[in-house]
């Protein structure tokens, strides 16, 4: 089994910054794509962006230029650097990853973290 654990959430004023981390642990052979999502109260979970195994990143327009996703493959960790935060960025933030666990199979299983809360005050 694989666990993803996010950290780094908290309360920040508008215009401030936060850096979220997500560490994957357990039976990991390799990790392909790693993604960040968020879910605001009363809203659906939305994809913010992703980083491929090779380090290529993609973002949704709403966070492009403000959020940066990076990864440290040696630490099985993905980061979300959030700058110029706005009250509408208030949400629970989740990481998601495609993990290969077996030498025998090429299958990648998808895992979610438990989320970390970010609150941006105006």
């Amino acid at each position: 089994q694989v666990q993803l654990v996010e950290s780094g959430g908290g309360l920040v004023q508008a215009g401030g910054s936060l850096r979220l981390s997500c560490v994957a642990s357990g039976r990991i052979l390799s990790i392909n794509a790693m993604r960040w999502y968020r879910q605001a109260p009363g809203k659906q979970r939305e994809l913010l962006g992703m980083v491929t195994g090779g380090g290529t990143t993609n973002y949704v327009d709403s966070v492009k230029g403000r959020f940066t996703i990076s990864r440290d493959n040696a630490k099985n960790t993905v980061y979300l650097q959030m700058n110029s935060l706005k009250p509408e960025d208030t949400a629970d933030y989740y990481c998601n990853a495609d993990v290969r666990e077996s030498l025998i199979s090429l299958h990648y299983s998808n895992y979610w973290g438990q989320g970390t809360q970010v609150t941006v005050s105006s």
Side-chain angles (χ1 to χ4, degrees):
Q1 269 290 1
V2 173
Q3 297 80 40
L4 301 180
V5 179
E6 302 97 335
S7 62
L11 175 64
V12 63
Q13 287 190 331
S17 298
L18 276 178
R19 188 194 196 204
L20 307 184
S21 300
C22 171
V23 180
S25 63
R27 192 173 176 178
I28 299 170
L29 190 62
S30 64
I31 303 176
N32 196 359
M34 304 184 83
R35 308 169 187 86
W36 283 98
Y37 288 76
R38 70 184 177 190
Q39 187 167 18
K43 295 188 177 182
Q44 288 188 332
R45 190 170 297 189
E46 63 169 337
L47 174 67
L48 300 177
M50 64 175 288
V51 56
T52 67
T56 300
T57 54
N58 287 288
Y59 305 92
V60 297
D61 287 344
S62 60
V63 304
K64 200 174 293 184
R66 296 192 301 127
F67 290 8
T68 302
I69 297 174
S70 60
R71 64 190 288 169
D72 184 333
N73 291 330
K75 298 180 179 180
N76 290 332
T77 300
V78 63
Y79 304 98
L80 178 65
Q81 177 67 44
M82 304 186 292
N83 299 327
S84 303
L85 283 163
K86 307 173 183 180
E88 51 263 44
D89 293 318
T90 295
D92 291 325
Y93 285 71
Y94 300 87
C95 66
N96 173 277
D98 298 329
V99 181
R100 181 183 174 191
E101 299 170 72
S102 170
L103 277 171
I104 300 173
S105 171
L106 295 176
H107 175 72
Y108 283 78
S109 298
N110 188 259
Y111 289 94
W112 289 90
Q114 84 291 345
T116 186
Q117 188 173 59
V118 172
T119 302
V120 184
S121 63
S122 58

